[in-house]
Amino acid sequence: MTALPKLRSMFTKRLKEARLAMDISQRELGRRIGLSEEVVSSRVTRYELGTSEPDFATADRLAKELGVPLAYLVADNDAMAQIILSAASLSPSEQRKTSVRAVCRRRAQSH
């Protein structure tokens, strides 16, 4: 499997999971991100099936509405996606502290 189909597959899987976790319909999600009423349900369906891809602005609106970082939706593996969600749940101060500790650990291990 090449990288692009895998990335598309991960995006569609996480998009649907996040929407279902919020217990909202595809139509409701489409409305919330400002899609026109004529395409609201079919567009989100196509995003979840991978037959259509949102542009970056739309993907960002989807992520924000679903309460997840855009990086979570496009992470290329489940472990990284979970790390992104965990980091996003921290305050900005805790995110900085955690990232500094990780960098220091990596430097110490490389010496």
Side-chain angles (χ1 to χ4, degrees), residues 6 10 19 25 43 45 49 60 68 85 94 104 106:
K6 180 181 178 190
M10 299 306 272
R19 178 184 61 77
S25 67
R43 183 79 51 87
T45 298
L49 292 174
D60 188 52
V68 298
L85 279 183
E94 285 298 314
C104 291
R106 267 187 257 128

Side-chain angles (χ1 to χ4, degrees), residues 12-27:
T12 61
K13 172 185 155 204
R14 291 197 193 102
L15 176 64
K16 184 174 183 175
E17 286 173 353
R19 178 184 61 77
L20 292 174
M22 286 191 65
D23 197 28
I24 60 173
S25 67
Q26 292 171 331
R27 179 176 295 283

Side-chain angles (χ1 to χ4, degrees), residues 64-81:
K64 283 184 172 120
E65 190 58 46
L66 293 168
V68 298
L70 179 56
Y72 166 76
L73 292 177
V74 298
D76 62 358
N77 65 67
D78 288 332
M80 184 58 66

Side-chain angles (χ1 to χ4, degrees), residues 67-69 72 80-90:
V68 298
Y72 166 76
M80 184 58 66
Q82 290 307 310
I83 291 168
I84 291 166
L85 279 183
S86 295
S89 70
L90 300 173

Side-chain angles (χ1 to χ4, degrees), residues 15-49:
L15 176 64
K16 184 174 183 175
E17 286 173 353
R19 178 184 61 77
L20 292 174
M22 286 191 65
D23 197 28
I24 60 173
S25 67
Q26 292 171 331
R27 179 176 295 283
E28 180 61 23
L29 178 57
R31 284 184 184 135
R32 290 183 184 190
I33 65 164
L35 296 177
S36 67
E37 196 60 36
E38 298 81 42
V39 300
V40 71
S41 184
S42 64
R43 183 79 51 87
V44 175
T45 298
R46 291 195 318 256
Y47 294 159
E48 287 185 3
L49 292 174

